[in-house]
Amino acid sequence: MPVSQCNGANLYYEEEGAGRPIVFLHGAWAGLRFFEPQLMNLSDEFQTVALDFRGHGRSEKSEAGHTVPQYARDVRAFLDHQDLDEIVLVGWSLGALVAWEYVDQFGTDGIRGLVNVDMEAAPGPAGNEEAPTYDLDRFRDINRSIQADHLAFIEQTIDVSFKHPPTDDLRTTILDEDSRSPPTVKSAIIIDATLCDYREVLPDIDVPMLVCAGADEKWRSVPVVKRTADLVPEARFELFEESGHSLTVEEPEKFNQVVSDFVKSL
């Protein structure tokens, strides 16, 4: 099993193909299995790489370090260990926050482009005081659900992450993937991610960014995702009509084509 020791935690990763590296960062409580259609089908043209954050997937379940800044430092260590340069960094949900935190800490040297998959710049009350994606009541309810019935919470998450119900095989894969991060990790990272605010970071990004949003998103609204494209000088927006939050597996063919076109344009 390929692992990379990053800041005291063994991180599981997979890679395929050759060419310009595309590095995929998954969402909270998820794992790199959400990028299987990209790892395999984009590897004909590019080097595709995905890793599991600490506490997620097949990576080490460390007791500490479950913050967006630490995940970004882990990504930096991973890229250094793997000698990856001139990359395109694709962040889905939490992964987008980690990508922006990476840029805030380390700049864009070695990065040719960014892809934001269905994430807003500030998910908590600071981003939208009138109708935040995560207000205190919602945050409390999510955390209590995680701690009260872990598997029921995962099932509920799957139900609200798709426009159309996933196939039985896909649902089984997601259930397995999401259950690999323990409740302690889930609660810790939701606290930190909810309080993130990258509205002052995004305008300083000096590489092209592609912003993708699912039209049937139930976690957040399409306009708040699109707003990230408005904040970045070189950004473009793409709407996925047949997707909710999990568009990498809901519309994999379209997503792969859009990402391929974007990478080739850099």
Side-chain angles (χ1 to χ4, degrees), residues 32 45 103 114 121 143 147 157 174 201 216 244-245 260 262:
L32 63 78
E45 302 176 289
V103 170
L114 297 167
N143 190 55
Q147 296 299 321
T157 300
I174 295 170
V201 174
D216 199 54
H245 188 52
S260 175
F262 174 70

Side-chain angles (χ1 to χ4, degrees), residues 69-81:
Q70 182 59 58
Y71 287 5
R73 290 189 286 272
D74 290 347
V75 170
R76 176 58 179 258
F78 174 79
L79 296 177
D80 288 345
H81 292 168

Side-chain angles (χ1 to χ4, degrees), residues 6-17:
C6 300
N7 301 313
N10 288 320
L11 304 187
Y12 175 78
Y13 69 95
E14 294 183 5
E15 59 181 338
E16 301 285 345

Side-chain angles (χ1 to χ4, degrees), residues 102-139:
Y102 181 100
V103 170
D104 193 32
Q105 289 191 45
F106 306 111
T108 56
D109 287 347
I111 295 178
R112 289 296 298 273
L114 297 167
V115 181
N116 166 22
V117 185
D118 214 54
M119 191 59 198
E120 63 194 288
N128 186 343
E129 294 181 1
E130 294 181 357
T133 297
Y134 293 97
D135 59 18
L136 293 180
D137 287 342
R138 187 181 185 194
F139 171 75

Side-chain angles (χ1 to χ4, degrees), residues 74-219:
D74 290 347
V75 170
R76 176 58 179 258
F78 174 79
L79 296 177
D80 288 345
H81 292 168
Q82 303 305 120
D83 196 26
L84 293 171
D85 195 21
E86 296 299 290
I87 69 169
V88 175
L89 199 55
V90 180
W92 167 52
S93 198
L94 167 69
L97 299 178
V98 174
W100 300 333
E101 176 66 30
Y102 181 100
V103 170
D104 193 32
Q105 289 191 45
F106 306 111
T108 56
D109 287 347
I111 295 178
R112 289 296 298 273
L114 297 167
V115 181
N116 166 22
V117 185
D118 214 54
M119 191 59 198
E120 63 194 288
N128 186 343
E129 294 181 1
E130 294 181 357
T133 297
Y134 293 97
D135 59 18
L136 293 180
D137 287 342
R138 187 181 185 194
F139 171 75
R140 179 202 60 211
D141 291 344
I142 289 174
N143 190 55
R144 287 180 178 177
S145 295
I146 291 170
Q147 296 299 321
D149 193 333
H150 187 209
L151 290 180
F153 172 77
I154 294 171
E155 292 279 7
Q156 180 186 18
T157 300
I158 295 173
D159 290 338
V160 300
S161 295
F162 287 78
K163 178 174 183 177
H164 305 291
T167 64
D168 290 343
D169 286 346
L170 180 56
R171 190 179 186 92
T172 298
T173 297
I174 295 170
L175 183 62
D176 175 71
E177 197 76 344
D178 286 5
S179 64
R180 290 177 180 270
S181 60
T184 51
V185 171
K186 284 181 168 68
S187 289
I189 194 58
I190 190 59
I191 292 171
D192 197 67
T194 299
L195 299 177
C196 285
D197 186 346
Y198 293 99
R199 288 174 297 171
E200 294 185 0
V201 174
L202 292 176
D204 292 331
I205 290 178
D206 57 0
V207 297
M209 187 167 83
L210 168 67
V211 178
C212 303
D216 199 54
E217 163 66 85
K218 299 178 181 68
W219 287 95

